[in-house]
Amino acid sequence: MKITRLTTFLVPPRWLFLRIDTDAGLCGWGEPVVEGRAHTVAAAVDELSDYLIGKDPRNIEDLWNLMYRGGFYRGGPVLMSAIAGIDQALWDIKGKDLNQPAHVLLGGPVRDRIRVYSWIGGDRPADTAKAAKDAVARGFTAVKMNATEELQYVDTYDKVERVLENLQAVRDAVGPHVGIGLDFHGRVHKPMAKVLMRELAPFKLMFIEEPVLSEHLESIPELAAISPAPIALGERLYSRYDFKRVLQIGGVDILQPDPSHAGGITETRKIAAMAEAYDVAIALHCPLGPIALAANLQLDAVCHNAFIQEQSLGIHYNAANDLLDYVSDRSVFTYEDGYVTIPQGPGLGITVNEEYVAERAAVGHRWRNPEWRHADGSVAEW
């Protein structure tokens, strides 16, 4: 079997899909994207195709190393996301060739379903409590929200009070036993993170995510000592070498690699194994489309330290299209009692609606992050 073609599809709301075709008639699907830089990743996929055309798609480990080590420069969001989507598609092909789900080829499942959480917003927090209550009514037992609007390095205490009021409204809406993940989103600098984390202690949070940007890993042990909540991060790290430093420094309880950014199924499996050796949990990052979620669930099936899965159904970014629009069988992601079942079909376990993908790719997208500024006019972290 040989790879014959790689084709990318820019589809709303902000996703990039990839199809790899072979001379055996099998094709595989992946989701290589950096949100807001989809065109750039598509160009990287095209460049990497020179390493892949004519090669056997079943030699996944060798092809991964060829893509990663074959260029002098390596790592980073664009290259690793391009490799990630290609890797997902290769696992999809291999599973279809052997008529087995990818998780069977990875050693077999340790679970048949995994807990999921629902995003409830929080960027502009007017309706967060209602969104939380609605998520619980749909069966979710955990939610995640952005903690705060923009914050200066040192900001006023009224903004801290608004964070606490918003979080209290969510807690009042869902009760004491629903998990709440609070995402600082890297938009909080260390001085204010210290203030917030001390004030948040009574809320019994499921985790605090990205209390500071990953560029400031040396701050994490100090911040972790302030709060009893587990610390989570990793969506903006791209390889086992990035995560090695996280585990060496300590203070992080939950790693959140994204299998559409961190080198795909092949690399994320290795990151999860590293985390397990440090008794650190995994909560894979996935505010993306159905192909990415399917790849995540194949990993959740085999990673013992995975405990919850992010998913984008109904997320505020998905205005033009939502998670299930691009799959032929919408029941493939069966949500029940706050869990989603692991897809059992061959490869990634989903069937992509190729006609609809082509239709929406004709529309495309040019999604960008919002532009936030502080009151003094300086650019704020989003």
Side-chain angles (χ1 to χ4, degrees):
M1 194 192 310
K2 305 296 181 187
I3 295 171
T4 57
R5 183 172 57 183
L6 287 79
T7 309
T8 52
F9 303 86
L10 278 143
V11 295
R14 57 177 190 160
W15 303 332
L16 179 69
F17 294 167
L18 164 68
R19 187 184 69 224
I20 297 182
D21 292 302
T22 70
D23 62 0
L26 291 175
C27 74
W29 287 85
E31 197 164 331
V33 66
V34 174
E35 300 92 305
R37 299 291 182 267
H39 292 80
T40 310
V41 179
V45 169
D46 179 64
E47 290 176 337
L48 288 170
S49 69
D50 295 342
Y51 294 101
L52 301 168
I53 302 296
K55 300 292 198 322
D56 189 332
R58 295 167 294 189
N59 296 334
I60 298 173
E61 188 75 26
D62 183 64
L63 293 178
W64 195 99
N65 279 284
L66 181 61
M67 290 185 289
Y68 182 79
R69 303 180 194 279
F72 184 78
Y73 299 100
R74 57 187 66 172
V78 172
L79 177 58
M80 295 305 290
S81 296
I83 291 174
I86 292 169
D87 181 83
Q88 293 168 7
L90 296 178
W91 279 104
D92 198 30
I93 291 170
K94 188 157 190 167
K96 290 173 179 175
D97 181 49
L98 297 172
N99 197 32
Q100 295 287 343
H103 66 260
V104 168
L105 307 181
L106 290 164
V110 300
R111 59 177 58 85
D112 54 18
R113 60 178 189 157
I114 190 163
R115 192 182 181 198
V116 287
Y117 62 79
S118 177
W119 258 99
I120 57 170
D123 276 352
R124 300 300 190 219
D127 299 320
T128 312
K130 182 182 183 302
K133 192 170 185 177
D134 291 346
V136 172
R138 297 196 308 271
F140 289 97
T141 62
V143 297
K144 188 170 86 171
M145 58 186 282
N146 281 329
T148 178
E149 302 172 313
E150 55 271 82
L151 282 179
Q152 271 282 13
Y153 281 83
V154 177
D155 218 317
T156 56
Y157 208 84
D158 61 310
K159 290 189 177 181
V160 176
E161 290 172 346
R162 285 203 292 272
V163 172
L164 302 178
E165 289 166 3
N166 191 34
L167 183 55
Q168 186 63 59
V170 171
R171 179 55 78 198
D172 291 343
V174 301
H177 302 305
V178 169
I180 300 176
L182 195 64
D183 189 356
F184 282 24
H185 216 251
R187 63 180 59 150
V188 182
H189 298 278
K190 179 184 172 183
M192 293 307 296
K194 291 169 70 174
V195 174
L196 277 172
M197 291 175 74
R198 185 172 291 108
E199 295 291 341
L200 291 168
F203 287 92
K204 300 178 181 177
L205 296 171
M206 182 170 62
F207 56 76
I208 292 173
E209 181 173 335
E210 271 198 325
V212 290
L213 288 165
S214 294
E215 292 95 303
H216 307 304
L217 286 175
E218 67 281 351
S219 300
I220 295 295
E222 178 184 353
L223 295 173
I226 294 172
S227 172
I231 303 300
L233 61 79
E235 68 188 71
R236 287 186 266 197
L237 300 173
Y238 311 109
S239 72
R240 76 198 89 149
Y241 308 108
D242 292 341
F243 282 97
K244 177 174 71 171
R245 184 164 173 255
V246 177
L247 295 169
Q248 288 173 334
I249 289 173
V252 174
D253 307 290
I254 303 163
L255 294 189
Q256 298 173 301
D258 188 319
S260 280
H261 301 326
I265 290 172
T266 298
E267 183 74 350
T268 306
R269 177 76 188 278
K270 295 172 183 178
I271 294 165
M274 290 168 60
E276 188 177 357
Y278 282 82
D279 204 23
V280 168
I282 291 291
L284 298 177
H285 180 258
C286 187
L288 296 170
I291 304 169
L293 179 58
N296 276 252
L297 294 174
Q298 297 299 323
L299 283 160
D300 289 324
V302 299
C303 296
H304 187 267
N305 50 339
F307 79 100
I308 202 164
Q309 176 61 58
E310 181 174 29
Q311 51 82 45
S312 76
L313 187 63
I315 198 171
H316 47 298
Y317 304 120
N318 295 358
N321 281 103
D322 212 333
L323 179 70
L324 303 178
D325 293 348
Y326 293 103
V327 293
S328 299
D329 179 6
R330 288 173 170 248
S331 68
V332 67
F333 302 122
T334 303
Y335 295 84
E336 186 175 358
D337 299 327
Y339 288 78
V340 66
T341 54
I342 307 297
Q344 297 299 313
L348 299 184
I350 62 171
T351 301
V352 174
N353 185 335
E354 299 193 29
E355 290 185 6
Y356 190 67
V357 168
E359 176 187 327
R360 296 303 287 161
V363 175
H365 69 84
R366 201 171 176 85
W367 186 87
R368 295 292 182 266
N369 294 354
E371 179 185 311
W372 284 10
R373 291 184 180 271
H374 295 297
D376 64 3
S378 60
V379 173
E381 298 283 358
W382 175 79

